[in-house]
DNA sequence: ATTGAAATTGATAAGCTATCTCAAAAAAGA
DNA sequence: TCTTTTTTGAGATAGCTTATCAATTTCAAT
């Protein structure tokens, strides 16, 4: 039924270790979560309203936080909301954002990522995720 | 009176351009803000309560957001609160943030900054500012 | 210095996001 | 199935930030 067998196992293992139970809601939310790169609780609430209109918002929050504890998700505060990042999703990308027209260009740079690792380990940190945004003017807006 | 002449000029120029007015409160808040590397509105509210007990919290928020628009500050959301970073005084710095205990380590890395410039120019952008946050576990929280 | 239009302030209400409460429902082991 | 423990859903609550608005302040033009 679910395509996310590996992650489902990670969840079940975490549940087992902490005397928590495997529920229909947790399965449903994990399935939906793993299809996204990142999502907010509110977004997921509306998305899942079709499948289960009675699924409560509090349950979404509780479950997404559970995923963080299980190492499947990573909470990141963006604007006024909390984004829950899908850890298993590879292909992280950073953003170039034009302050003139709002244009967003995505990019990836291995050299930068390597230097980030260096900085982190020099400070005793193990990086889970990162966020890099460059703000400036695109060629069109500079004139 | 004020030691932050340069930044005060930046603020005044921004105010002039946008038909805004130079007030006692804005001067007071800028002076206090520039003494910090980063601060929350609430912290500043309590800090300034001694100098001006009638200074409202809403004014602090409004003014710190004004500083962001003027390019003197940068808002950063951490936990449930917003940190306002002073980017005009000590120069920009990036952050290593522990997702376990919330510890924040500031760092600067010229090599990363140079690579950022490269990425930007390759895409026709001129960088005005940037935000780099590395999330992970500090040595203490990893165990 | 005075005036008057426009912006700002302070106090508080309102808005939003996230968490807490608790009775009812569901899960898991015997 | 029975029993114990955990989870859920709905609404209440908490914490941070913004909106509202009458009174005040700024500032350019008298």
């Amino acid at each position: 039924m679910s395509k996310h067998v590996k992650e489902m196992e990670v969840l079940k293992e975490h549940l087992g270790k902490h005397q928590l139970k495997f529920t229909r809601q947790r399965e449903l939310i994990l399935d939906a979560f793993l299809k996204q790169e990142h999502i907010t609780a509110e977004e997921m609430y509306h998305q899942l309203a079709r499948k289960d209109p009675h699924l409560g918002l509090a349950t979404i929050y509780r479950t997404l936080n559970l995923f963080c504890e299980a190492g499947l998700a990573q909470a990141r505060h963006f604007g006024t909301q909390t984004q829950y990042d899908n850890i298993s999703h590879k292909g992280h990308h950073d953003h170039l954002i034009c302050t003139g027209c709002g244009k967003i260009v995505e990019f990836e740079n291995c050299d930068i990522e390597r230097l980030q690792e260096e900085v982190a380990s020099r400070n005793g940190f193990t990086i889970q995720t990162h966020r890099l945004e460059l703000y400036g003017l695109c060629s069109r807006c500079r004139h």
Side-chain angles (χ1 to χ4, degrees), chain A:
Chain A
M1 181 168 135
S2 166
K3 292 166 295 183
H4 310 292
V5 182
K6 192 181 112 207
E7 287 82 7
M8 206 60 80
E9 279 312 311
V10 172
L11 175 61
K12 282 184 180 169
E13 193 177 320
H14 179 84
L15 296 176
K17 274 185 188 165
H18 296 79
Q19 294 172 290
L20 304 174
K21 294 173 176 176
F22 186 74
T23 66
R24 183 179 59 77
Q25 288 90 340
R26 284 172 177 167
E27 183 178 16
L28 185 66
I29 294 171
L30 181 56
D31 252 352
F33 175 70
L34 291 173
K35 289 177 186 157
Q36 326 279 332
E37 202 172 325
H38 48 77
I39 195 168
T40 66
E42 199 77 33
E43 282 166 7
M44 178 160 285
Y45 181 60
H46 289 114
Q47 216 175 78
L48 289 180
R50 274 167 277 160
K51 290 193 174 179
D52 183 351
H54 293 292
L55 191 59
L57 182 56
T59 300
I60 308 264
Y61 275 108
R62 277 189 293 237
T63 306
L64 288 174
N65 287 333
L66 173 69
F67 293 170
C68 290
E69 283 156 25
L72 291 163
Q74 166 78 49
R76 181 167 50 83
H77 301 279
F78 184 79
T80 61
Q81 287 193 306
T82 299
Q83 291 278 342
Y84 290 87
D85 292 354
N86 180 349
I87 288 289
S88 69
H89 201 287
K90 294 288 190 264
H92 180 92
H93 39 253
D94 301 315
H95 302 251
L96 258 167
I97 301 168
C98 178
T99 55
C101 62
K103 186 167 91 168
I104 296 179
V105 176
E106 293 178 345
F107 70 90
E108 257 186 281
N109 188 300
C110 302
D111 294 333
I112 290 179
E113 311 246 332
R114 186 173 43 73
L115 287 169
Q116 286 174 1
E117 291 289 349
E118 255 181 58
V119 169
S121 72
R122 199 178 306 140
N123 287 278
F125 273 67
T126 311
I127 294 183
Q128 294 169 325
T129 182
H130 74 265
R131 170 176 174 194
L132 173 58
E133 289 157 10
L134 308 181
Y135 298 90
L137 291 173
C138 70
S139 52
R140 185 192 305 255
C141 289
R142 193 162 48 249
H143 310 301

